[in-house]
Amino acid sequence: MAANGKNSRRKKKRHIKKGPVLIAVILLLCGIGWLTYLYHEQIINKAKDIPNSFSYPTDYEEYVIRYSTKYKCDPVLVFSVIKVESGFNKDAVSSVGARGLMQLMEDAYDWIKYRLDDQRDNTYDDMFDPELNIQYGTYYLSYLMEKYDGSVELTAAAYHCGMNLVDSWIENGTVDPDNFKVSDIPDENDQTSNYVRKIRRAYDNYKDILSSHGDITENS
């Protein structure tokens, strides 16, 4: 009888120890689940307050801000170009071989590397690296914006079809740089016309989305 009493007390003790632990584990899991739910609800609700926030993402913001500041470029334009060019796919390759987030061609890469006097051992293959691609693409945009007196449309046109062609339009009077109209772009360059319209649309949307994001738009 004494042995049975001890066994009974031992079993009871074990039961008492397991009960609070089990309850604590359940409460902990419930708490984690609730916090996770609240977190996702907060993210979703915050996104709902920003028009087109899912359609117009701001991935790689750290690099965009860093190099927009360094090269005095409009970060809203950089986001717009990434959106239109690659849809934020760092591994994107176009039908003509342009690479990375900002879809730089090899001749543009070589020109930018020379202009920057970049002595690093990077090659065109490194255009799939987000930071390097954004650095080079942002520098190129800053150069074009300065060349075309801050015109988003002329900058976009030159980014798409090259400075030489845009300069020829200006020189022969096809387009007026002081009163540029997309409709003035020659019909044979309709792909560039469509590209400029896409950049303008993305630019306007990003401008609205980021208008309350001071650390981004203060550079624009």
Side-chain angles (χ1 to χ4, degrees):
M1 293 294 293
N4 288 338
K6 289 181 179 178
N7 288 337
S8 177
R9 284 194 297 272
R10 287 173 184 170
K11 290 179 180 178
K12 190 174 182 180
K13 286 180 180 179
R14 283 197 294 268
H15 178 71
I16 292 172
K17 288 180 180 179
K18 288 182 178 179
V21 173
L22 182 60
I23 292 172
V25 170
I26 292 172
L27 290 174
L28 179 62
L29 292 175
C30 289
I32 293 173
W34 179 246
L35 288 174
T36 302
Y37 170 78
L38 289 177
Y39 173 76
H40 285 292
E41 281 294 300
Q42 183 181 16
I43 294 299
I44 291 171
N45 289 332
K46 185 176 181 181
K48 287 178 180 178
D49 293 336
I50 305 174
N52 300 317
S53 59
F54 291 121
S55 298
Y56 293 88
T58 55
D59 299 350
Y60 308 106
E61 177 181 320
E62 176 187 355
Y63 301 143
V64 171
I65 297 303
R66 179 183 303 167
Y67 293 110
S68 293
T69 301
K70 183 174 183 177
Y71 300 127
K72 297 179 175 58
C73 186
D74 184 350
V76 178
L77 180 58
V78 178
F79 279 124
S80 302
V81 169
I82 296 174
K83 162 69 178 175
V84 172
E85 287 285 357
S86 68
F88 290 84
N89 177 9
K90 66 180 180 63
D91 299 314
V93 179
S94 75
S95 59
V96 293
R99 296 179 178 180
L101 290 168
M102 300 186 73
Q103 291 290 276
L104 291 169
M105 294 291 289
E106 189 166 10
D107 57 347
Y109 163 83
D110 291 336
W111 182 85
I112 297 165
K113 186 175 176 66
Y114 171 78
R115 291 277 308 184
L116 289 174
D117 191 25
D118 190 346
Q119 299 299 316
R120 292 173 294 180
D121 60 357
N122 54 278
T123 68
Y124 185 55
D125 290 334
D126 294 309
M127 280 295 94
F128 295 116
D129 175 72
E131 181 174 3
L132 187 64
N133 189 282
I134 289 174
Q135 179 188 3
Y136 274 38
T138 301
Y139 173 81
Y140 190 31
L141 284 177
S142 71
Y143 179 89
L144 293 174
M145 284 287 278
E146 183 176 0
K147 177 179 176 65
Y148 297 113
D149 296 322
S151 170
V152 170
E153 287 81 6
L154 284 174
T155 294
Y159 196 91
H160 184 262
C161 66
M163 290 179 281
N164 291 338
L165 186 55
V166 172
D167 289 347
S168 71
W169 296 339
I170 294 173
E171 289 169 5
N172 62 29
T174 299
V175 301
D176 180 359
D178 297 321
N179 186 29
F180 177 77
K181 298 176 182 176
V182 178
S183 59
D184 290 336
I185 295 177
D187 292 340
E188 61 266 26
N189 301 110
D190 61 326
Q191 289 186 347
T192 296
S193 300
N194 291 333
Y195 179 84
V196 173
R197 291 189 182 97
K198 288 179 181 178
I199 291 293
R200 183 74 250 184
R201 187 182 310 118
Y203 185 88
D204 290 341
N205 281 315
Y206 270 115
K207 197 77 171 177
D208 289 340
I209 291 168
L210 301 174
S211 60
S212 60
H213 203 321
D215 59 340
I216 292 179
T217 55
E218 67 185 8
N219 295 307
S220 59

